[in-house]
Amino acid sequence: MKIQKQTYQRLIGICVLMICMTVGVTAKEKAVPTVIKAWTLDGWTGVADTLETIDSSYMHFPMRSALNNYSISNTTNSNLVSPVQSRVYFDRKKTTDFIFADAYTPYIITPQQVKFYHTTTPYSTIAYKKGFVNNLDQNDLSFSFTGNVTRRVNIGTTIDYLNSYGRFINQEGKTTFGSVFGSYNGNHYSLQGAFTWNTLKNFENGGLRNTNDLLGVLKPEDMSVNMQGMSDLRYLSGYLNHYYSICVERERKVNYRERNEEGQWEKKDSIKIEYIPVTTFRHIFEVNDVTKRYVEQTANQGFYPNTYYNPTSTLDSAACLTIKNTLSVTFEEEFNTLLKFGAMVYAMNETQRHLSLIAHHFDSVGVPPEITFENRWTNNTYIGGALYKNRGKHVHYGFDGNVCLVGYKLGEFQVNGHIDAGFKLGKDSMTLAANVYFRNETPDYYLQTYRSNHYQWDNEFKKQYRLHVSGEVSYPTKWVKPKLNVSFENITQHIYFDSDGTPKQADHDIQVLAADLQLNLTTPWINLDNSVVYQMSSSDKLPLPALVMYNNLYYHGTWAKVLDVQIGVDMRFFTKYYAPILNPALGQFCIQNEQKIGNYPVMNVYANFYVRNLRLKLFAQYQHFNASFMNQQYLEMPNYPMAPDMFRAGLSWHFYK
């Protein structure tokens, strides 16, 4: 699977065109302050739950990637595009109701992750990162654009393209994921809409046949592997959140400056009419279509315990189509001046289709003429409500819950609550936060019933119960910036994949306790960022490393008033534990109790620059430089070595007025 030049040319051409549009539109507009606001939407209620600005900082640019943004430590097949499981339990996110997509979570953009914008000037950025390993290059190209067409209408897009050949045989992976989004914010009627996609392919090699090859003279690409296969994932989603608000009008005095006829600035004031929402009627439509395939052109005899349908080749496919419609009524907190909170009630209907296909055999041209399939439709109806306070300087909170009254997931429910408070303590500010939820979750359909060439099962798993409690305290000062999060979760009837590749349900409760400490030390030149996670699991059915660490020691300064510089070394480390092993046919991480993995640091040295006048970021990085002088039997999981050393470089360019 080689990178096609046409793919690069098309992507780069689109990016250049959009950048030219940004520069051209901005040049025609009069000079105005650049204000860029962004927000995401809550998955159940559709309410904007974050408000932020675009992060254009150059700091830590070499470390930013889909994997590192997901968690500080991940189990992979050692390639950039790979199935992924975080070694930090509370970083593991479930983004879709489809178990075969869980391992690709870092590369999937769901509607709830799409950022919507309001900008006073168009904004775009393009970034390119490359790993240099002879003919085994690694490429990471990303682009984003957003701009307001009118005062109320904003449109934008994001595109990411990753391709990595990997360092070992049959390991190449590539993915393209992105979004197209838009919003209209009126006095009464507003909407946000988005379309997101992901297409991913990665080859599977089952790990090295003999990890002692790492101690010899063989190059990584010459070491023998266990098998040859290929997995691919396709994720498509459409989202529309629109609502109508009954409002009242309020007058507000505003001050502004304006140039007089002599060109001097003068202070002026006027009256602005504000529309304060009282009650909002909302409809949310969402559709997700996820498909996972696993292919073997030739049989991998002996690697899997069973072969049920085709002894010479494999083509397994599973898919989940989900259609959701949500209707809600909200009593807005902006209008409630006495009690100062908002409330919502809603009803949601979910329709799902689960489809699985198995090719019995291929004909002479590779077409599978005989197919066994399962096609089942299910329907679920939920009702729920929420009480929240998102406005104000000091205290914010939210409580919500829902229950399934009709359908396949009958009896499923969740109750969630969070609160945060900020206040002055001395010259600095302290923030306290707490989060709690209790959930009763219906097992994924494919955990109950599944057919494939190598695996099949019929289970009657019970619902899983999760009780989660966490608290966080943050007190950043000028020189020391500590933040501590302590989390506890009790899991009843936990479902996991056993060493034989089949799902099992634990017959006992499992407790997970974790303390996540972030402690950043700052001086005028030298900085040390530390992230240390201590975690404990009460069961071998949920193995976790006791300690996971990320440390970054760097110099930070400005040269000649135009060039910001960051030079440093960072390290990732986890203690030994019974790391899971990847099952290629299922795309699942299965537990094992034969080999412990860990106690090995991965270290990178880097130089990172920002040219202020050009808004241009540049970096160079020598990744895993300690591989050449430390124990070379460094493993991600049993049979899967970590990626050897590599030189990387990249740039990112921001365009806005």
Side-chain angles (χ1 to χ4, degrees):
M1 184 172 58
K2 297 183 178 179
I3 304 174
Q4 299 294 326
K5 291 184 178 180
Q6 293 181 351
T7 303
Y8 273 128
Q9 292 172 350
R10 291 172 183 173
L11 288 172
I12 294 175
I14 293 172
C15 297
V16 171
L17 177 61
M18 298 298 287
I19 290 172
C20 292
M21 292 173 59
T22 303
V23 175
V25 172
T26 306
K28 295 179 181 179
E29 294 181 348
K30 64 179 182 180
V32 295
T34 298
V35 178
I36 303 174
K37 297 180 180 180
W39 66 93
T40 58
L41 301 174
D42 180 82
W44 282 92
T45 65
V47 175
D49 58 1
T50 62
L51 183 61
E52 56 191 57
T53 58
I54 288 180
D55 180 14
S56 58
S57 170
Y58 81 100
M59 296 290 286
H60 317 302
F61 177 47
M63 286 72 80
R64 298 181 186 180
S65 68
L67 290 179
N68 291 340
N69 293 343
Y70 179 60
S71 180
I72 62 172
S73 183
N74 297 294
T75 299
T76 69
N77 69 5
S78 80
N79 199 11
L80 176 66
V81 182
S82 161
V84 181
Q85 184 184 76
S86 173
R87 296 188 181 97
V88 179
Y89 173 75
F90 290 108
D91 282 349
R92 298 177 184 177
K93 306 295 192 301
K94 183 177 177 63
T95 55
T96 69
D97 193 12
F98 183 64
I99 60 168
F100 300 114
D102 291 348
Y104 299 104
T105 296
Y107 311 102
I108 294 176
I109 301 178
T110 66
Q112 291 71 39
Q113 294 170 312
V114 173
K115 289 185 178 180
F116 297 93
Y117 295 88
H118 173 80
T119 68
T120 56
T121 59
Y123 172 89
S124 63
T125 180
I126 185 171
Y128 179 62
K129 302 174 185 177
K130 186 176 182 67
F132 299 86
V133 191
N134 297 326
N135 61 337
L136 302 176
D137 290 348
Q138 183 183 98
N139 300 277
D140 182 346
L141 175 66
S142 62
F143 171 76
S144 65
F145 165 82
T146 184
N148 270 50
V149 179
T150 68
R151 182 170 62 91
R152 300 186 182 278
V153 178
N154 177 277
I155 59 172
T157 185
T158 64
I159 302 173
D160 286 82
Y161 176 78
L162 309 180
N163 183 292
S164 180
Y165 285 94
R167 304 297 295 277
F168 301 92
I169 298 174
N170 203 51
Q171 201 181 44
E172 184 182 0
K174 70 176 181 179
T175 179
T176 303
F177 57 96
S179 63
V180 177
F181 54 86
S183 61
Y184 170 82
N185 297 292
N187 294 330
H188 296 279
Y189 178 77
S190 299
L191 67 84
Q192 293 89 34
F195 172 75
T196 71
W197 71 89
N198 169 280
T199 57
L200 183 148
K201 292 184 179 180
N202 72 277
F203 283 94
E204 309 277 9
N205 63 19
L208 297 184
R209 287 187 178 178
N210 186 2
T211 56
N212 288 328
D213 287 347
L214 296 168
L215 303 175
V217 297
L218 289 176
K219 295 181 180 180
E221 58 267 28
D222 295 328
M223 298 178 187
S224 60
V225 296
N226 284 313
M227 58 162 291
Q228 292 185 353
M230 190 271 288
S231 297
D232 69 48
L233 178 84
R234 186 196 68 183
Y235 173 87
L236 303 173
S237 74
Y239 181 80
L240 175 65
N241 172 28
H242 61 131
Y243 48 94
Y244 181 86
S245 297
I246 300 174
C247 303
V248 297
E249 296 182 2
R250 287 180 181 171
E251 294 183 351
R252 181 169 66 90
K253 185 176 181 180
V254 294
N255 298 314
Y256 65 97
R257 295 193 308 162
E258 187 176 79
R259 290 185 183 274
N260 57 26
E261 295 179 355
E262 298 176 355
Q264 302 296 322
W265 288 104
E266 290 185 351
K267 292 184 178 180
K268 293 190 175 184
D269 59 67
S270 66
I271 300 299
K272 182 179 180 180
I273 302 298
E274 290 185 335
Y275 292 86
I276 309 299
V278 178
T279 305
T280 298
F281 301 90
R282 186 186 307 267
H283 171 239
I284 303 172
F285 173 77
E286 180 180 347
V287 57
N288 302 303
D289 186 13
V290 196
T291 302
K292 170 70 165 59
R293 289 197 313 157
Y294 174 69
V295 178
E296 296 168 352
Q297 293 294 341
T298 57
N300 292 290
Q301 299 293 342
F303 187 81
Y304 297 107
N306 299 294
T307 300
Y308 294 104
Y309 296 97
N310 190 339
T312 60
S313 58
T314 298
L315 176 57
D316 298 333
S317 179
C320 178
L321 172 67
T322 303
I323 303 172
K324 295 182 181 180
N325 280 280
T326 305
L327 297 174
S328 66
V329 179
T330 305
F331 306 96
E332 303 288 354
E333 67 176 295
E334 293 96 326
F335 181 74
N336 194 342
T337 57
L338 179 61
L339 300 178
K340 296 185 181 301
F341 64 80
M344 169 185 287
V345 293
Y346 63 87
M348 189 271 284
N349 178 262
E350 173 189 76
T351 300
Q352 290 187 312
R353 184 195 68 178
H354 297 90
L355 175 68
S356 60
L357 306 173
I358 306 168
H360 284 191
H361 64 270
F362 292 86
D363 62 17
S364 59
V365 294
V367 178
E370 295 186 18
I371 299 292
T372 298
F373 67 91
E374 295 181 10
N375 187 0
R376 179 178 176 181
W377 289 86
T378 61
N379 192 69
N380 305 287
T381 301
Y382 294 78
I383 61 168
L387 183 70
Y388 57 89
K389 180 181 183 295
N390 295 328
R391 297 178 178 271
K393 294 182 179 180
H394 302 293
V395 179
H396 309 93
Y397 59 81
F399 305 95
D400 67 89
N402 57 66
V403 60
C404 182
L405 298 179
V406 178
Y408 172 72
K409 300 179 182 179
L410 176 66
E412 180 176 275
F413 69 85
Q414 61 175 309
V415 179
N416 310 292
H418 71 270
I419 185 170
D420 64 80
F423 54 90
K424 279 283 187 179
L425 184 62
K427 296 182 180 180
D428 302 294
S429 297
M430 174 177 283
T431 301
L432 300 174
N435 183 58
V436 61
Y437 61 73
F438 181 48
R439 297 174 182 171
N440 174 9
E441 302 171 341
T442 302
D444 186 285
Y445 173 81
Y446 288 110
L447 289 172
Q448 304 283 31
T449 301
Y450 183 61
R451 297 287 184 274
S452 70
N453 197 29
H454 296 300
Y455 292 94
Q456 60 183 20
W457 56 72
D458 290 288
N459 297 312
E460 294 182 359
F461 290 143
K462 299 177 182 178
K463 288 182 169 61
Q464 299 180 89
Y465 291 83
R466 298 179 186 273
L467 173 62
H468 175 97
V469 180
S470 65
E472 183 174 286
V473 57
S474 174
Y475 185 54
T477 64
K478 182 177 181 181
W479 307 111
V480 182
K481 298 175 174 59
K483 182 168 72 171
L484 175 65
N485 182 289
V486 178
S487 300
F488 170 81
E489 185 164 301
N490 184 83
I491 312 167
T492 303
Q493 294 164 174
H494 170 64
I495 298 176
Y496 61 96
F497 278 83
D498 210 343
S499 56
D500 62 358
T502 60
K504 304 287 180 58
Q505 188 160 44
D507 57 2
H508 57 277
D509 286 6
I510 299 176
Q511 293 80 38
V512 179
L513 176 65
D516 184 348
L517 173 64
Q518 297 181 33
L519 182 63
N520 298 340
L521 307 177
T522 303
T523 72
W525 300 282
I526 303 299
N527 302 268
L528 177 61
D529 294 349
N530 303 281
S531 183
V532 181
V533 179
Y534 170 78
Q535 53 188 3
M536 179 181 65
S537 170
S538 66
S539 173
D540 59 359
K541 308 304 182 185
L542 184 55
L544 299 169
L547 195 65
V548 180
M549 300 173 56
Y550 174 71
N551 309 97
N552 187 13
L553 176 66
Y554 58 94
Y555 159 82
H556 176 218
T558 302
W559 296 353
K561 299 182 180 181
V562 296
L563 184 67
D564 291 327
V565 180
Q566 181 188 18
I567 301 174
V569 58
D570 69 337
M571 180 193 74
R572 299 180 191 272
F573 175 86
F574 61 93
T575 53
K576 277 193 172 183
Y577 76 115
Y578 288 111
I581 188 166
L582 177 66
N583 185 304
L586 299 172
Q588 302 296 319
F589 290 88
C590 305
I591 65 171
Q592 57 87 28
N593 58 6
E594 297 181 358
Q595 183 179 7
K596 285 190 173 183
I597 304 297
N599 283 354
Y600 179 86
V602 175
M603 304 175 69
N604 312 302
V605 61
Y606 64 90
N608 186 25
F609 306 95
Y610 179 61
V611 185
R612 292 186 175 185
N613 294 339
L614 299 178
R615 300 192 183 103
L616 176 64
K617 307 175 189 177
L618 303 164
F619 83 88
Q621 180 189 51
Y622 186 21
Q623 186 172 279
H624 197 181
F625 70 87
N626 57 308
S628 59
F629 58 84
M630 294 189 68
N631 174 21
Q632 295 187 7
Q633 280 190 303
Y634 37 79
L635 300 178
E636 287 272 1
M637 52 186 167
N639 301 328
Y640 285 85
M642 294 180 179
D645 57 321
M646 175 191 296
F647 177 76
R648 298 174 65 241
L651 60 86
S652 177
W653 211 336
H654 297 268
F655 300 88
Y656 58 92
K657 184 69 173 181

